[in-house]
Each structure stands twice: as C-alpha cells, then as structure tokens.
Amino acid sequence: DLKKYNEVLTGFSVVSKIPVVEYDMKKDADRGKKIFEVIRSKKPAIVLAIGPAAANMARKELTDIPVVFVMVPNIEKYNLTADHITGISLQFPLKVQLATLKTFLPKMRNVGVLYNPKYSKDMFEKAQTAATEMGLNLVPSMVDDPDEVPSAIGTFAGKVDAVWMISDQTVTTPAAVTAITKWTNDNRIPFFATGKKAVKRGALASLSPDYAAIGQQAGRLANQIITQKLPPKTIPIAEPEGLSIAMNLSTARRLGDACNMALDIFTFAATQGYPIKVYK
C-alpha cells in the first residue's frame, strides 16, 4: 500500500512484461516465511523483492531462485551478497548528490549535516571525502535521538551556507524535518531534504529516487536474467538511474534570488532528463 512501492512495481511490469503475482509480508516475519514456502513450491522465473525485509528473507529462503532486490536503503548494512541475488541500490552516489546541490548553489561552501553515528557514520565519512574533492566543507552535528534535532540544528548558526539531509532514520522523522525546516527558513538558509513531503512543508528542494524508473531498471535486470540466462552473481548491484527533483518556490523567494535559483534547477532537470515537482 506504499505509493513508492507501487510505482516500482508498475515500472517493473511495464518493462519486463512478466506476469506478476504479488505477496505482501505486512511487516510480519512469520507471514513472510509462509509466503516464501509458497514461492519455493511455485518456482517462479524470478522474484522481485521490494524493501529490506523482503530482500533479506529472499536471500535466505530462495537460494535456487533468482532474486532482484530494490528499495533497500544503506545496502552496506545488509548482507545481500549471494549467488542468486542482485539488485539496485536506493542511494544515489554521494558525489552525485553533492554535485547537484553545488549546481543549484554555486557559491555554497559550508554544508551542515545532521546524522546519527550509529546508523550513518560510514556514509558521512564517504560524503566528507567526496565533499573535500569538490571544494565543499561538511559541518557535522550528531544526534542519538530525534528529540535532539531541534537543539542540534541550532549549532549550525553562523557556520553553514546550507543544510543537507542524508538518509538517516533519526533525522528523517516528520518532527525532525519540521524542526530543520523551521530553523533553516527562520535563518534564511537553504535546506536540501531527502523527499518531496519535506519540500511541500517548506524545504527548498529535494533529490530523491524516481521510483518508477527504478522499477523499469529492475525490469531490465529481470530480462537479462530470464532471457539472456545471466546468473545474478555476474550482475553487479547497480546505482539507481532516475532522479526526481522537487522545489518549493515560496521558500526560494524567502531566500532571495528565487528567479536565478529556480532557473538553475529547472535547467539542470531538463538537461539531465529528470522529472521535477514544483510546490508553491
């Protein structure tokens, strides 16, 4: 019932043209085990595992059935390596994300990043390396709990030109996003979020995967496995091909120079062929 999961499935079905039977684990591991018993008995040509729970269980339970996984954040945290499995990362390369943000704000130098070391230490360190290569400086503020976000965001005062949200479950809660949005708008600092909902609430812009495009990409992988008989182990885990951009025009106006900023974002989206959603 998740819209983004349905977008993935639609894209997959359109490209692969494979008859699809859906099974919903409903976040229940016992239900999942029963589902995989059924799948093993039916021996399908391939399984599309959407989300980390389905991907993990497919790796363990379907050793003789090819699996393509999608919608798994921070795949380094999951042991999704096996001969029968391949997939598509949900995370865009950090360097691509930072380069895109720099395109939007060429004068940006110091970028604030909130994160929980428990979940995102490795990701932040990789982002820091990429940022340094691009002449950017990441200013960290670490939190252990979403309730710490309102005070943590205040440590950026006078230190950052923009705030960039990474995919960390501690700082992407609705309350945390609201706190970040309020502080950045009050202080006239651009806030780049991870999803459209945050932009609708007042963040300047977001970069997020194009879920339908990820489904289409998964469909092409499935066709390689079924039609070309390629073993999944020979197909490296891929980066997502589609990027979706959202922008809030009212926030851009509050920040100033909205016309030039909007033009840069629209031009970038058109040049790259990325869909863009605009909120007032």
Side-chain angles (χ1 to χ4, degrees):
D1 59 350
L2 291 176
K3 182 181 178 182
K4 56 189 177 183
Y5 280 24
N6 288 327
E7 289 177 7
V8 169
L9 187 56
T10 299
F12 178 85
S13 299
V14 167
V15 168
S16 69
K17 297 182 172 61
I18 300 170
V20 174
V21 178
E22 294 181 53
Y23 296 93
D24 186 352
M25 290 172 55
K26 297 185 183 295
K27 300 182 180 180
D28 185 330
D30 291 334
R31 177 184 172 89
K33 288 182 179 179
K34 292 176 182 177
I35 287 172
F36 280 105
E37 287 176 8
V38 173
I39 292 174
R40 281 197 303 271
S41 70
K42 292 182 177 295
K43 295 183 178 179
I46 200 162
V47 167
L48 175 69
I50 305 180
N56 267 320
M57 196 163 283
R59 179 186 62 81
K60 297 174 184 176
E61 302 288 340
L62 303 178
T63 55
D64 59 346
I65 298 174
V67 174
V68 173
F69 71 81
V70 293
M71 303 299 286
V72 180
N74 300 335
I75 59 173
E76 295 84 2
K77 297 290 184 182
Y78 302 94
N79 182 21
L80 294 176
T81 54
D83 288 349
H84 67 293
I85 190 168
T86 187
I88 301 165
S89 167
L90 186 59
Q91 185 76 26
F92 270 88
L94 296 167
K95 195 167 186 177
V96 172
Q97 295 184 50
L98 288 167
T100 303
L101 301 188
K102 196 170 182 180
T103 300
F104 297 165
L105 294 175
K107 296 179 181 179
M108 179 176 67
R109 165 64 179 158
N110 298 305
V111 182
V113 180
L114 286 165
Y115 75 99
N116 186 336
K118 178 181 177 181
Y119 301 118
S120 305
K121 181 176 181 290
D122 290 345
M123 186 190 302
F124 176 79
E125 290 176 351
K126 290 178 182 177
Q128 198 169 39
T129 299
T132 300
E133 293 173 356
M134 299 167 58
L136 296 174
N137 174 46
L138 297 190
V139 180
S141 185
M142 292 173 277
V143 295
D144 294 318
D145 186 272
D147 291 340
E148 298 175 7
V149 168
S151 58
I153 187 70
T155 64
F156 291 146
K159 298 178 181 178
V160 302
D161 306 312
V163 173
W164 172 45
M165 176 178 282
I166 61 175
S167 297
D168 183 303
Q169 64 192 65
T170 306
V171 299
T172 54
T173 65
V177 173
T178 297
I180 298 169
T181 302
K182 183 179 186 309
W183 186 88
T184 51
N185 283 342
D186 288 348
N187 289 274
R188 297 170 64 89
I189 292 174
F191 171 33
F192 295 98
T194 58
K196 297 175 184 177
K197 287 184 179 179
V199 177
K200 192 173 183 179
R201 295 193 196 112
L204 172 63
S206 69
L207 309 174
S208 59
D210 182 340
Y211 300 117
I214 287 178
Q216 293 169 0
Q217 189 177 354
R220 291 193 291 274
L221 286 182
N223 288 338
Q224 285 183 303
I225 293 168
I226 295 172
T227 306
Q228 300 177 30
K229 308 296 183 185
L230 291 180
K233 67 179 180 181
T234 66
I235 304 175
I237 293 173
E239 296 170 350
E241 294 177 353
L243 176 68
S244 179
I245 299 173
M247 178 185 177
N248 189 309
L249 284 178
S250 297
T251 301
R253 291 190 188 99
R254 282 196 295 270
L255 294 172
D257 201 20
C259 183
N260 289 336
M261 191 184 302
L263 182 60
D264 287 341
I265 293 176
F266 293 151
T267 301
F268 177 81
T271 302
Q272 301 296 323
Y274 295 149
I276 183 167
K277 176 77 174 178
V278 178
Y279 297 95
K280 293 183 179 180

